[in-house]
Amino acid sequence: MSPPFLVWGLRAELLTGAVCVGVLGAYVALRLMRGLVTVGIGARWRRMACAGLALAVGGGSAHVLVISGESLPGVSGHDAAMLGAAFVATLVGALAAQILLVGGVRSPARLIAAALALGTGLSASPWLALLALGGEPGIAWRGTGLAAAWMLACVGAGAALLLVPVSSRMQGSGGRKQLVQAAILLGVTLAGTDLAVIISARVPVALGAGPATPGGSDWLTLLTLFGGPALLALLLLVAMLEDRFRDLVANARDELQRATYTDTLTSLPNRLLFEERLKRAAHRADRGQRRLALLFVNVDGLKGVNELFGQNTGDALLRAIGQRLQALCVRELVARVGGDEFLLLLEDNPTVAEVSQRAAQLLEAIARPCSINRRDVVVSASIGISVYPEHGSLARLVPHAAAALHAAKDMGGATYCFFEASMVTGKREEIELLRDLRSALENNEFELYYQPKIHAPSGQITGAEALLRWHHPRRGMISPLVFIPLAEQNGLINAMGNWVIEDACRQIRAWRMQGLRMRVAINLSMHQLRQPDLAARIVAALKRNRLEPRVLTCEITESIAMDDNQGTLTVIKQLAALNLHLSIDDFGTGYSNLSCLRKLPATEIKIDRGFVLDLETSGDARAIVDAVVKLAQALGLKVVAEGVETERQQHLLSQFGCEELQGYLFARPMSAQALAHWAMNHEGPRSLAFRPSLFGETKTFDVT
Ligand code: C2E
Ligand code: MG
Ligand code: MG
């Protein structure tokens, strides 16, 4: 005969209390679980442990509440180890479920495994708690009831975990509602599982012998009933504070992110964001074998608008243009990347015709008058277009669009232009050349060549012009016409010019030591003339080489000499005051102002090669040279003609009264060594004599 079993009373108010405490525990736990993967690893473990604790406390409290209404007089105490195991079961189940969920990409398999772990923990807990009652004879169990409890726990846990993903913070009212629903579901599951396990327990009446103790132990009941909810409330408070803090940090981060990636004037994405998106777009295009088009839009004449109407109008105009571009390219990426520069990315595999059409639309939209402060402002724009992958790698896409933009500007603006390889070949070469030019001085790659100047009446050599040569390690000899402008544009000319001064003086001294007293002309760049210490530098070089200033002529091109810049004029006057000869080079190419010419302390003018070239064929050129010579004579200036290539030119120039001639007819520029060899051995390019005064004594001169 089986022993008689206790009939569970199960009071409704206690069951309701159990559901409430279960829901509270579930709410705290789920709130801690949501968005777990978005927090750092330390905070994640802490939140997972607290979530497990909340479920264990909620489940434990619910269990104590349910059985506190039962009379178990035979139970004098609990098996502490077993009670601990009951508590730990939920904790471990909850931890295992969370580890499974955060450990990889969310998938049905992962969710089922997590539901099984949590469900097992939740259902094992009341079972172990009942076993903790101990006593003899022991509790008999209904297997089906236990199985039903386990299944209920797993399904409820799975549904709650489905509603509250660990990957998202679920913000907003929708998220909050979902969290509450999940908490109710899990809380009811908690209480329901507990109830199912209790009902499955067949407790022998014998356990009921002796004095009655509700739930088996007073202290435990009280502790659980008051301590449990209090602990849950505390955990909830901590979770809420932590969420609040996280929200504040996240908001600050979002704001920072927005500021980093947004152009403040137009609120469009900025260059940083554009480049990031462009990278991703290129990856997508690579995968899908699709084409991208990048449009580099530049507003023509914004500077004029700023100057005429003020910066605020310019800013308003840029905002309006940004809006128009955005309105025309709703689905595309539009960014402002510079003062008046916008970039647009067309991603939907556009054809050339489609891109052209879009560019034309954009130009038209920008050209429409903008009403700013009740004033119509009209500007145009130019667009450069590069297409990926046809026009080069991802890294070259923006520079190539910029090159195409330059081409569009060169065509007069208000148009668009597709990239072509020829637009950058020259530029790339220039960049490479500049790189090499920066190290050319250090690498000793420069040399001065000397081209003799001939006294026209006697045909004798009177001096030479120093012309710079660059021996490029790979490209061979490069003309100064190529590298001097590059050096001038990139701040290298002063160092180069200083080297020329030093080397020319050194060479004059070296020739003197060989018995050749040569007068040398050096060319000065405009940038050198802006150096206030130019005169001092030349004096120092002359002094070092014990040379008198008369031996040096400074050639300054006409356009620079006539520049009415006071600084330049001061330096020119300082040079003349030193007794250096000043020569106005390339005369006739600039706009000479006679009064300016008169004021300049020059001693010589050099007629530009262009006039000499036309002498034989053009009556105008002859008239100009004749007039220039007469003018120079009237002003007391010596006239030199450069670029003399034929005997007829030589004859005409001599007739006009040119004192000195220079040109390939007599000699090309040559190395210092070749010039000395010619002078000493009379083996030159033409049977020309060096002026006798160029030879002889090599007396030194002290410049004070
Ligand atoms: P430039 O000072 O007018 O020099 C005369 C140029 O004409 C030289 O070219 C010379 O080689 C060339 N030339 C002379 N005779 C003839 C001729 O009969 N026919 C032809 N076709 N050309 C002739 P280069 O050496 O290429 O120098 C070009 C320019 O580079 C110079 O014009 C000068 O402005 C500049 N330059 C050269 N060396 C220096 C330098 O050390 N410093 C600065 N700042 N500029 C320099
Ligand atoms: Mg010259
Ligand atoms: Mg010249």
Side-chain angles (χ1 to χ4, degrees):
M1 247 210 30
S2 54
F5 294 106
L6 208 74
V7 179
W8 296 103
L10 301 178
R11 285 168 32 204
E13 67 277 16
L14 292 176
L15 281 178
T16 311
V19 169
C20 289
V21 76
V23 170
L24 179 61
Y27 180 79
V28 176
L30 291 171
R31 194 178 167 132
L32 286 159
M33 280 185 204
R34 66 172 182 178
L36 261 182
V37 291
T38 62
V39 299
I41 206 82
R44 189 181 301 175
W45 277 105
R46 195 184 61 244
R47 286 177 84 97
M48 291 200 310
C50 288
L53 189 65
L55 281 178
V57 170
S61 302
H63 176 76
V64 171
L65 261 171
V66 173
I67 66 163
S68 65
E70 306 305 326
S71 180
L72 297 170
V75 178
S76 53
H78 286 84
D79 178 345
M82 206 57 105
L83 261 191
F87 189 79
V88 168
T90 307
L91 193 68
V92 169
L95 273 176
Q98 293 175 89
I99 291 170
L100 279 164
L101 290 173
V102 298
V105 185
R106 190 175 155 103
S107 67
R110 230 167 235 288
L111 194 69
I112 290 169
L116 291 177
L118 183 55
T120 306
L122 292 182
S123 50
S125 185
W127 175 66
L128 288 165
L130 283 176
L131 287 182
L133 290 174
E136 279 298 329
I139 299 171
W141 296 94
R142 287 191 192 89
T144 46
L146 281 183
W150 178 73
M151 271 160 58
L152 172 70
C154 290
V155 172
L161 293 178
L162 187 68
L163 281 172
V164 181
V166 290
S167 56
S168 154
R169 297 282 317 278
M170 300 169 57
Q171 272 154 336
S173 62
R176 273 195 295 277
K177 203 168 133 195
Q178 218 168 315
L179 180 66
V180 171
Q181 284 170 353
I184 293 172
L185 192 69
L186 188 58
V188 170
T189 302
L190 217 71
T193 305
D194 192 57
L195 191 63
V197 171
I198 289 173
I199 292 170
S200 309
R202 287 154 36 111
V203 181
V205 175
L207 267 182
T213 312
S217 152
D218 273 341
W219 66 267
L220 184 67
T221 309
L222 287 173
L223 184 73
T224 315
L225 289 185
F226 294 103
L231 187 58
L232 287 176
L234 191 68
L235 283 173
L236 180 62
L237 187 70
V238 170
M240 282 165 71
L241 284 176
E242 194 170 307
D243 282 353
R244 179 95 194 98
F245 181 68
R246 277 176 71 198
D247 286 347
L248 285 175
V249 172
N251 286 346
R253 204 181 39 226
D254 288 351
E255 198 48 45
L256 197 68
Q257 180 113 340
R258 217 184 62 79
T260 313
Y261 286 115
T262 311
D263 169 54
T264 38
L265 183 70
T266 57
S267 301
L268 288 172
N270 62 12
R271 182 182 287 276
L272 211 61
L273 183 56
F274 187 88
E275 281 174 357
E276 275 185 20
R277 298 248 185 106
L278 176 63
K279 236 182 266 169
R280 275 186 257 151
H283 285 311
R284 280 195 296 275
D286 287 341
R287 276 203 306 272
Q289 305 228 311
R290 294 161 70 81
R291 192 185 297 119
L292 297 177
L294 191 133
L295 281 70
F296 201 139
V297 182
N298 183 274
V299 181
D300 302 327
L302 181 76
K303 197 164 166 268
V305 173
N306 282 336
E307 281 166 7
L308 203 62
F309 304 121
Q311 190 87 28
N312 289 346
T313 306
D315 287 353
L317 179 70
L318 283 172
R319 268 194 295 271
I321 290 176
Q323 282 162 8
R324 287 179 187 185
L325 295 178
Q326 186 76 88
L328 265 174
C329 307
V330 187
R331 287 184 301 115
E332 283 101 2
L333 179 61
V334 181
R336 176 167 174 254
V337 294
D340 53 0
E341 294 170 346
F342 295 86
L343 282 178
L344 266 91
L345 185 65
L346 308 187
E347 258 199 81
D348 46 0
N349 201 24
T351 61
V352 169
E354 283 163 354
V355 180
S356 304
Q357 193 189 3
R358 184 64 71 91
Q361 284 172 349
L362 293 170
L363 290 180
E364 200 188 293
I366 295 173
R368 280 203 312 272
C370 274
S371 177
I372 297 165
N373 297 335
R374 277 173 271 118
R375 185 190 284 131
D376 272 356
V377 182
V378 188
V379 285
S380 61
S382 305
I383 303 180
I385 305 166
S386 61
V387 177
Y388 179 81
E390 282 96 318
H391 292 159
S393 68
L394 173 64
R396 307 299 318 150
L397 208 54
V398 177
H400 285 175
L405 174 69
H406 274 290
K409 290 260 181 205
D410 287 346
M411 286 157 75
T415 186
Y416 64 87
C417 209
F418 279 86
F419 170 75
E420 281 169 26
S422 61
M423 291 172 183
V424 286
T425 36
K427 198 79 197 158
R428 195 169 306 147
E429 246 175 45
E430 194 180 298
I431 290 168
E432 280 173 16
L433 209 61
L434 179 63
R435 185 197 58 204
D436 298 343
L437 192 59
R438 288 187 195 283
S439 51
L441 259 186
E442 271 169 40
N443 298 345
N444 235 349
E445 287 165 11
F446 289 120
E447 185 184 357
L448 281 178
Y449 268 36
Y450 294 87
Q451 187 180 30
K453 284 182 178 175
I454 314 297
H455 182 237
S458 65
Q460 290 173 338
I461 295 171
T462 56
E465 178 179 6
L467 294 160
L468 193 53
R469 296 291 177 261
W470 178 15
H471 299 285
H472 190 281
R474 274 171 291 111
R475 299 181 189 209
M477 186 127 78
I478 298 184
S479 160
L481 294 173
V482 174
F483 67 82
I484 296 263
L486 204 60
E488 286 182 330
Q489 286 156 23
N490 295 283
L492 302 173
I493 192 70
N494 283 339
M496 210 180 269
N498 291 341
W499 181 87
V500 170
I501 295 168
E502 283 298 330
D503 203 60
C505 291
R506 183 199 55 75
Q507 188 56 58
I508 301 172
R509 163 73 17 215
W511 276 327
R512 284 216 176 164
M513 305 310 272
Q514 294 173 298
L516 183 63
R517 292 174 58 83
M518 208 55 173
R519 275 173 44 211
V520 169
I522 55 169
N523 290 283
L524 292 181
S525 144
M526 170 175 58
H527 296 265
Q528 282 177 281
L529 286 167
R530 289 195 186 134
Q531 274 186 296
D533 65 342
L534 179 70
R537 198 175 276 279
I538 294 179
V539 170
L542 289 168
K543 223 172 180 177
R544 253 194 305 283
N545 293 286
R546 288 165 291 128
L547 298 172
E548 65 278 26
R550 276 186 298 113
V551 295
L552 206 62
T553 300
C554 294
E555 294 193 7
I556 303 164
T557 54
E558 184 192 13
S559 48
I560 303 163
M562 300 299 157
D563 183 10
D564 55 2
N565 179 308
Q566 275 309 312
T568 310
L569 197 66
T570 311
V571 175
I572 290 178
K573 284 184 175 158
Q574 283 173 355
L575 295 178
L578 285 175
N579 270 339
L580 292 165
H581 288 286
L582 281 188
S583 172
I584 302 175
D585 204 353
D586 303 337
F587 193 84
T589 51
Y591 302 96
S592 269
N593 166 328
L594 286 183
S595 67
C596 219
L597 187 62
R598 208 165 52 84
K599 271 189 245 154
L600 269 180
T603 48
E604 164 184 306
I605 58 173
K606 284 182 89 175
I607 297 180
D608 188 61
R609 194 157 59 84
F611 297 105
V612 177
L613 195 68
D614 294 342
L615 269 184
E616 294 168 70
T617 51
S618 155
D620 286 352
R622 280 196 293 275
I624 291 172
V625 172
D626 189 23
V628 167
V629 174
K630 288 203 170 80
L631 171 76
Q633 283 168 347
L635 292 173
L637 301 172
K638 183 163 85 183
V639 185
V640 183
E642 61 183 358
V644 184
E645 292 184 354
T646 66
E647 285 180 354
R648 175 115 177 92
Q649 288 168 349
Q650 179 191 11
H651 178 71
L652 284 168
L653 288 162
S654 302
Q655 259 190 351
F656 290 136
C658 267
E659 270 174 73
E660 285 189 357
L661 306 173
Q662 191 184 357
Y664 291 173
L665 175 67
F666 311 104
R668 287 179 179 258
M670 63 187 83
S671 69
Q673 209 185 358
L675 189 83
H677 189 260
W678 179 18
M680 302 303 176
N681 304 315
H682 310 287
E683 291 169 12
R686 214 162 176 267
S687 51
L688 284 172
F690 281 72
R691 211 174 224 195
S693 63
L694 297 187
F695 300 100
E697 32 106 41
T698 55
K699 121 176 136 167
T700 58
F701 187 91
D702 283 329
V703 183
T704 47

